[in-house]
mmCIF file of all heavy atoms in Angstrom:
data_model
loop_
_atom_site.group_PDB
_atom_site.id
_atom_site.type_symbol
_atom_site.label_atom_id
_atom_site.label_comp_id
_atom_site.label_asym_id
_atom_site.label_seq_id
_atom_site.Cartn_x
_atom_site.Cartn_y
_atom_site.Cartn_z
ATOM 1 N N ALA J 2 14.371 7.527 -16.998
ATOM 2 C CA ALA J 2 12.948 7.770 -16.813
ATOM 3 C C ALA J 2 12.260 8.188 -18.090
ATOM 4 O O ALA J 2 11.046 8.146 -18.189
ATOM 5 C CB ALA J 2 12.758 8.841 -15.749
ATOM 6 N N ALA J 4 11.090 7.242 -20.999
ATOM 7 C CA ALA J 4 10.754 6.084 -21.820
ATOM 8 C C ALA J 4 9.913 6.500 -23.003
ATOM 9 O O ALA J 4 9.184 7.476 -22.941
ATOM 10 C CB ALA J 4 9.990 5.071 -20.969
ATOM 11 N N VAL J 70 -5.666 20.644 1.436
ATOM 12 C CA VAL J 70 -5.392 19.615 0.433
ATOM 13 C C VAL J 70 -4.712 20.175 -0.815
ATOM 14 O O VAL J 70 -3.798 19.553 -1.361
ATOM 15 C CB VAL J 70 -6.691 18.874 0.058
ATOM 16 C CG1 VAL J 70 -6.468 17.927 -1.130
ATOM 17 C CG2 VAL J 70 -7.214 18.087 1.259
ATOM 18 N N PRO J 71 -5.097 21.361 -1.325
ATOM 19 C CA PRO J 71 -4.423 21.888 -2.517
ATOM 20 C C PRO J 71 -2.916 22.068 -2.341
ATOM 21 O O PRO J 71 -2.176 22.086 -3.329
ATOM 22 C CB PRO J 71 -5.110 23.245 -2.744
ATOM 23 C CG PRO J 71 -6.474 23.073 -2.152
ATOM 24 C CD PRO J 71 -6.259 22.209 -0.944
ATOM 25 N N VAL J 113 6.579 19.904 -28.107
ATOM 26 C CA VAL J 113 7.039 18.748 -27.343
ATOM 27 C C VAL J 113 7.343 19.130 -25.901
ATOM 28 O O VAL J 113 7.084 18.368 -24.978
ATOM 29 C CB VAL J 113 8.286 18.125 -28.012
ATOM 30 C CG1 VAL J 113 8.818 16.954 -27.185
ATOM 31 C CG2 VAL J 113 7.949 17.675 -29.431
ATOM 32 N N ARG J 128 5.955 30.663 -31.252
ATOM 33 C CA ARG J 128 7.307 30.708 -31.809
ATOM 34 C C ARG J 128 7.957 32.073 -31.607
ATOM 35 O O ARG J 128 9.179 32.196 -31.502
ATOM 36 C CB ARG J 128 7.254 30.370 -33.303
ATOM 37 C CG ARG J 128 8.620 30.275 -33.976
ATOM 38 C CD ARG J 128 8.466 29.875 -35.425
ATOM 39 N NE ARG J 128 7.586 30.783 -36.150
ATOM 40 C CZ ARG J 128 7.206 30.613 -37.413
ATOM 41 N NH1 ARG J 128 7.616 29.542 -38.080
ATOM 42 N NH2 ARG J 128 6.399 31.478 -38.006
ATOM 43 N N ILE J 191 25.676 29.718 -3.583
ATOM 44 C CA ILE J 191 26.944 29.156 -3.119
ATOM 45 C C ILE J 191 27.616 30.230 -2.230
ATOM 46 O O ILE J 191 27.506 31.419 -2.523
ATOM 47 C CB ILE J 191 27.851 28.795 -4.322
ATOM 48 C CG1 ILE J 191 27.154 27.743 -5.202
ATOM 49 C CG2 ILE J 191 29.211 28.318 -3.874
ATOM 50 C CD1 ILE J 191 27.909 27.426 -6.470
ATOM 51 N N ALA J 231 -0.569 -17.512 7.915
ATOM 52 C CA ALA J 231 -1.653 -17.086 8.797
ATOM 53 C C ALA J 231 -2.996 -17.647 8.329
ATOM 54 O O ALA J 231 -3.827 -18.077 9.138
ATOM 55 C CB ALA J 231 -1.708 -15.558 8.872
ATOM 56 N N LEU J 291 -2.953 -6.128 4.996
ATOM 57 C CA LEU J 291 -2.704 -4.689 4.960
ATOM 58 C C LEU J 291 -1.217 -4.399 4.766
ATOM 59 O O LEU J 291 -0.833 -3.586 3.926
ATOM 60 C CB LEU J 291 -3.200 -4.046 6.260
ATOM 61 C CG LEU J 291 -2.919 -2.546 6.415
ATOM 62 C CD1 LEU J 291 -3.641 -1.762 5.325
ATOM 63 C CD2 LEU J 291 -3.337 -2.065 7.797
ATOM 64 N N GLU J 361 -9.645 -30.835 26.719
ATOM 65 C CA GLU J 361 -8.330 -30.686 27.321
ATOM 66 C C GLU J 361 -7.473 -29.733 26.503
ATOM 67 O O GLU J 361 -7.543 -29.699 25.277
ATOM 68 C CB GLU J 361 -7.629 -32.051 27.426
ATOM 69 C CG GLU J 361 -8.376 -33.027 28.314
ATOM 70 C CD GLU J 361 -7.689 -34.378 28.389
ATOM 71 O OE1 GLU J 361 -6.590 -34.524 27.791
ATOM 72 O OE2 GLU J 361 -8.243 -35.277 29.034
#
Side-chain angles (χ1 to χ4, degrees):
V70 172
V113 177
R128 185 177 56 185
I191 299 175
L291 176 63
E361 298 179 3

